[in-house]
Amino acid sequence: MTSPIDDLHSVRDYLRYASSRFAASPLFFGHGTDNVWDEAVQLVMRSLHLPLENNTLFLDARLTREERELVLERIARRVDKRVPLAYLLGEAWFMGMPFHVDERVLVPRSPIGELIENGFQPWLGGKPVERILDLCTGSGCIGIGAASVFGEAEVDLSDISPDALEVAESNIDLHGVRERVRTVQSDVFDNIEGRYDVIVSNPPYVDADDLSSMPDEYRHEPELGLAAGKDGLDIAHRIIAKAAEHLTPGGLLVVEVGNSWVAMDEAYPDLPLTWLEFENGGDGVFLITEPDLRQWQASS
């Protein structure tokens, strides 16, 4: 296939070309956009460091050859290799905040962001928040997002993967929160000390069937951050078993289990989980308070 580099010159040209290539390809959208046009706009404009909105001024601007080569290379990788857009750009957005991402971490997409923006209300009530744990943190987006809402809280970002924690460290610096946010390498609670007012986790939760049938885009994400055994609950079981020991009185545990929520309900029929609903979409996130968790453990 000959390169169109000498035929396409303007930003508008590359938006049209990217849209055509994407529409003609069996792409899966699930890492930031949900349609061909938004994917094209994100790829072209962010590759050129141009704004996503109020950008009509730039549409007929001509690209340098170096810029054309970069955009074409990213379009080709998106179509031919099915690389998620966030990895091509090296960035993803969560709670309106940018985060460094690469193939060492999952692409941020959790509905928990909406809960954080609402200050965990009404579930938190008037309880002060001094310590927060983001368990299985990946890029650190959930914990750093929580740090932006709870401006006085200390936040620990925990993950088993040293590679993921390197990315999280870069995001701590990106958002200038090093005085309150730190990383901890830990296999679930193994290296976690002390108690937290809120423990929030988006752990691996993909079951074996879903893992085997995922679109190609997900193959670029670390399997360590996705796979969680036959029913998708290998990590969730460990969180439920130990969370009460690391929660302050009246503390909250929030965990995302995605499509494995049915298996979760079946595994814990007597556990008083609250399944959250989100205005912006998303499901499979439960919440439970420290008293309810301890009462369940005492009666089990």
Side-chain angles (χ1 to χ4, degrees), residues 178-191:
R178 186 161 294 281
E179 73 280 1
R180 295 189 293 117
V181 182
R182 65 168 188 155
T183 60
V184 181
Q185 185 176 0
S186 181
D187 183 0
V188 192
F189 288 113
D190 287 356
N191 292 330

Side-chain angles (χ1 to χ4, degrees), residues 102-105 138-139 159-170 185 222 224:
D102 58 35
E103 295 190 9
R104 293 174 290 178
V105 297
S139 66
D159 205 287
I160 191 175
S161 166
D163 289 337
L165 292 178
E166 286 184 9
V167 179
E169 286 279 350
S170 75
Q185 185 176 0
L224 182 64

